[in-house]
Amino acid sequence: MKNSALKGGIFVALGAASYGVLTTFVKMAYQEGFTTYEVTFAQMFLGFLGLFILNFFYKGKKKNLPKLKITGNHIWKLMLSGTSLGLTSTFYYLAVQYVSVSIGIVLLMQSVWMGVVLDGILNKTKPTKLKLLAVFIILIGTILATNILFDTIKIDFTGVLFGLLAATSYTITIYTSNTVARELPSITRSKWMMLGGLMVVVLIIFPSFLKGFNLEIFYKWGPVLALFGTILPPLLMTEGMPKINVGLGVIITSIELPVAVFMAYLLLNEVVTPFQWMGILLILMAIVVMNIRKVKKDL
């Protein structure tokens, strides 16, 4: 059992780390002259294609197969919920055009407290004192991590707006991923959600097609972005999450934040001040505070 949990934790950590390295690759694609819309479309299209192919090789466990039928209603709901996935990628990649990777990922992590708010609204429950404390820590951590109290870094508020919009749509994606058509295999759900996200991206970027679209993105950066952004994470998460409890899973996935910042420091030479590292540590601590009770409960 311990070996199974350890293996599950490693898979989840690798899935989260895949998301973490993604933004740095996006920035590197920008440096080569590719646009947000080219990057987003290439990732979503190749990601959907990859998941579509993998579905042919997927074999579910026998105990899950009886009466398992994918209906038109399943597909419609999954595609609709997947629209937030497309919006998340679009808003987030627009954000990192204006702000650094480290600030962009911190803005995206605001989905943690947004999730608390959404849960309270939908379930009509008041957040616990522990959750309120965690939200307060996240907000303090965000102030430090974005360095808005100091003059060393000037923040573009257009980027902040896009970052918060990305966090909002990411919050919706997390909610729908855990509620829509849960009886279906995760890889199948990912495929149809990805198709919904792809359709939204196509609608958004259509005007850019008329101006011109650099097809080199499909073989230069598209495969890398699709692999780390839309193929590896769901496969690794699907394999790892069932072996550990949800609280521990959420804590482990927070590794995405330091990985993203470290990759930006390593490959893009982004400056990360001690105050920013302090803010990042506070955000990570808040995530642990919010989920430690779930971990203890299931131990």
Side-chain angles (χ1 to χ4, degrees), residues 133-191:
L133 173 62
V135 169
F136 177 74
I137 294 173
I138 288 172
L139 294 176
I140 296 298
T142 300
I143 291 173
L144 291 172
T146 53
N147 217 29
I148 60 176
L149 296 179
F150 307 94
D151 295 326
T152 53
I153 295 179
K154 292 183 179 179
I155 297 179
D156 191 307
F157 286 98
T158 302
V160 172
L161 176 61
F162 280 129
L164 293 176
L165 287 172
T168 303
S169 55
Y170 188 45
T171 303
I172 297 171
T173 299
I174 294 171
Y175 175 78
T176 55
S177 296
N178 291 320
T179 55
V180 178
R182 291 182 61 181
E183 65 275 16
L184 298 179
S186 295
I187 192 169
T188 302
R189 294 168 67 233
S190 297
K191 178 186 72 173

Side-chain angles (χ1 to χ4, degrees), residues 80-102:
L80 184 62
S81 62
T83 56
S84 61
L85 191 64
L87 290 174
T88 300
S89 295
T90 304
F91 287 140
Y92 186 47
Y93 293 167
L94 283 170
V96 295
Q97 272 194 322
Y98 298 95
V99 297
S100 66
V101 170
S102 54

Side-chain angles (χ1 to χ4, degrees), residues 8-9 11-20 105 109 112 170 174 233 237 241 244-259 284 287 291:
F11 279 130
V12 172
L14 289 173
S18 296
Y19 277 132
I105 192 67
M109 294 298 286
V112 176
Y170 188 45
I174 294 171
M237 296 287 188
M241 276 297 190
I244 57 178
N245 64 65
V246 176
L248 181 58
V250 173
I251 292 173
I252 293 174
T253 56
S254 65
I255 196 175
E256 175 186 349
L257 178 56
V259 167
L284 294 174
I287 293 171
N291 295 280

